[in-house]
Amino acid sequence: MRYLYTLYLINTILDINLSSLSIVEIGGGYGGMYITIIINQPTPNYKIYDLPEVQMLQKKYISQYQYLPVFVDGMREADKHDLLISLCAWGELDKEAKEEYAEKVISKAKHFFICSNYNIEEDKLILGKYFDNINYYEDELVKNVLWA
């Protein structure tokens, strides 16, 4: 249910339809957000950046669906993309890893939607190097969402 609510927030807050966008997700978990998006707004251009061990789980879980994402091992330089999503992984990174992801991956996005579990002010400073207008959202169900 949380992935459906996140999809609703992305569509509502960013006012975009994901079906024609290129999407990059940092830390895809078991693939739940990816599956929610392709079931509701199929997009053929989706990349998941994650650790190789986690990608094995993602591949197993996602393999039953028609479209498969591109799995990117670790922190490689990204091409330009329309939307960057990170639900829980961003908050688990240390400052140096956040800065590297921001430079190599997030800075290439037109928009981002990040759930930041911890130091929101530090995250705003890191992301503010690449985006002028960073917004904050929270409600009864989600806290510390940064988006642009």
Side-chain angles (χ1 to χ4, degrees):
M1 196 65 161
R2 118 183 132 128
Y3 294 118
L4 282 172
Y5 186 63
T6 301
L7 179 59
Y8 165 78
L9 288 177
I10 291 170
N11 284 318
T12 304
I13 291 173
L14 295 175
D15 192 27
I16 55 177
N17 184 312
L18 305 182
S19 61
S20 62
L21 302 183
S22 57
I23 300 172
V24 169
E25 184 175 3
I26 296 174
Y30 64 90
M33 190 72 232
Y34 169 76
I35 292 167
T36 302
I37 289 172
I38 64 161
I39 288 172
N40 291 282
Q41 295 177 352
T43 178
N45 193 353
Y46 200 106
K47 293 180 181 176
I48 299 176
Y49 281 66
D50 218 325
L51 302 170
E53 300 82 8
V54 180
Q55 288 178 348
M56 291 188 316
L57 172 68
Q58 293 162 353
K59 289 174 184 175
K60 176 123 178 99
Y61 188 74
I62 292 172
S63 65
Q64 63 186 319
Y65 294 90
Q66 180 180 0
Y67 300 110
L68 295 179
V70 173
F71 296 97
V72 181
D73 186 3
M75 200 179 304
R76 300 187 197 279
E77 188 87 22
D79 296 329
K80 289 186 184 276
H81 48 279
D82 297 308
L83 176 64
L84 179 288
I85 299 171
S86 185
L87 300 184
C88 297
W90 178 259
E92 297 169 2
L93 299 172
D94 63 26
K95 183 179 179 184
E96 292 76 27
K98 287 179 180 182
E99 288 174 341
E100 191 170 351
Y101 265 118
E103 179 184 347
K104 291 183 175 181
V105 183
I106 299 172
S107 67
K108 307 295 193 300
K110 291 180 187 171
H111 303 280
F112 68 80
F113 185 93
I114 295 175
C115 294
S116 178
N117 304 350
Y118 303 105
N119 194 338
I120 200 83
E121 293 307 317
E122 178 180 280
D123 292 342
K124 285 180 182 178
L125 288 174
I126 292 169
L127 297 168
K129 294 175 186 174
Y130 307 100
F131 293 88
D132 294 329
N133 190 18
I134 297 174
N135 302 285
Y136 177 82
Y137 180 82
E138 118 175 22
D139 64 22
E140 305 81 39
L141 299 175
V142 298
K143 299 203 179 322
N144 297 338
V145 172
L146 296 173
W147 60 277

